[in-house]
Amino acid sequence: KNEVEQSPQNLTAQEGEFITINCSYSVGISALHWLQQHPGGGIVSLFMLSSGKKKHGRLIATINIQEKHSSLHITASHPRDSAVYICAVRSGGGSQGNLIFGKGTKLSVKP
Amino acid sequence: DGGITQSPKYLFRKEGQNVTLSCEQNLNHDAMYWYRQDPGQGLRLIYYSQIVNDFQKGDIAEGYSVSREKKESFPLTVTSAQKNPTAFYLCASRIGLTNTGELFFGEGSRLTVL
């Protein structure tokens, strides 16, 4: 079983829809990252959170440490949101900085 | 603008050849990382470096080598010993030596072995 599981693997939505991508993990973590990978391959960090909720524009990320679960929400989705969204967790302490990555959720938003 | 620059974006290699992927950052970040991405899999850590002249193996270091002679540069060499080198390679950096900073990624390098 993967330590970081994302669902769904693929998601197709119509422009304007509210989107939710889920991430569940099985290890103790110190932080969780949500990343966006563009079709060209470059990755942008969207959020880094260790508790509660963060919001940036139309994006909202939440985390429930007790349930080992995080969600990424996109409100009023737009075709430019089409990308692969990756959840990554930082497990444990220390200075190694290693992350455990999910396999990603491929989102396609149709106009 | 500050950021991470990877080059080349696309690279073709014949079997038996070593190739070096460049990663340069002007963010003054201490820690730098190399990841490999294969279809249907999460990113996997190849090597990382937290300080100049020091680096550590990640989960899949076999067949790869790195150097960190300058703070801003962390090149990755894919050697002929790497059995399946065709993949997408991503370089990342983080400020500070503790495990708390946000990660910044480059645009990636796609290596194809012919």
Side-chain angles (χ1 to χ4, degrees), chain B residues 74-87:
Chain B
F74 190 41
L76 174 74
T77 297
V78 185
T79 74
S80 56
Q82 169 50 233
K83 299 302 180 190
N84 186 20
T86 294

Side-chain angles (χ1 to χ4, degrees), chain B residues 85-109:
Chain B
T86 294
F88 187 63
Y89 292 89
L90 282 154
C91 179
S93 71
R94 187 204 308 269
I95 194 166
L97 299 179
T98 60
N99 204 358
T100 56
E102 184 179 345
L103 267 180
F104 290 78
F105 285 86
E107 291 292 308
S109 293

Side-chain angles (χ1 to χ4, degrees), chain A residues 33 35 37 40-43 45 48 86 90 92-99 101-103, chain B residues 9 33 35 37 40 42-43 45 48 50 59 88 90 94 97 99-103 105 107:
Chain A
H33 296 252
L35 310 169
Q37 185 168 30
I43 291 179
S45 178
M48 182 176 68
I86 299 170
R90 191 181 308 136
S95 59
Q96 290 184 355
N98 199 5
L99 295 174
F101 291 84
K103 295 181 180 180
Chain B
K9 192 167 178 65
Y33 306 83
Y35 292 96
Q37 187 178 39
L43 277 70
L45 181 65
Y48 66 98
Q50 295 182 294
D59 300 318
F88 187 63
L90 282 154
R94 187 204 308 269
L97 299 179
N99 204 358
T100 56
E102 184 179 345
L103 267 180
F105 285 86
E107 291 292 308

Side-chain angles (χ1 to χ4, degrees), chain B residues 27-99:
Chain B
L27 300 165
N28 200 32
H29 285 177
D30 297 295
M32 297 186 73
Y33 306 83
W34 273 106
Y35 292 96
R36 170 180 171 139
Q37 187 178 39
D38 294 283
Q41 294 194 38
L43 277 70
R44 291 180 291 169
L45 181 65
I46 305 172
Y47 268 98
Y48 66 98
S49 168
Q50 295 182 294
I51 198 166
V52 173
N53 292 324
D54 186 54
F55 47 83
Q56 306 296 328
K57 292 183 179 180
D59 300 318
I60 54 165
E62 185 175 349
Y64 299 98
S65 66
V66 293
S67 63
R68 187 86 186 274
E69 297 177 2
K70 298 185 293 183
K71 186 176 184 179
E72 58 269 25
S73 179
F74 190 41
L76 174 74
T77 297
V78 185
T79 74
S80 56
Q82 169 50 233
K83 299 302 180 190
N84 186 20
T86 294
F88 187 63
Y89 292 89
L90 282 154
C91 179
S93 71
R94 187 204 308 269
I95 194 166
L97 299 179
T98 60
N99 204 358

Side-chain angles (χ1 to χ4, degrees), chain A residues 4 13-14 17 22 28 73 75 78 82 86 98 101 103 110:
Chain A
V4 179
Q14 287 298 128
E17 286 185 359
N22 296 298
H73 306 286
T75 61
H78 190 276
S82 298
I86 299 170
N98 199 5
F101 291 84
K103 295 181 180 180
K110 306 294 185 187

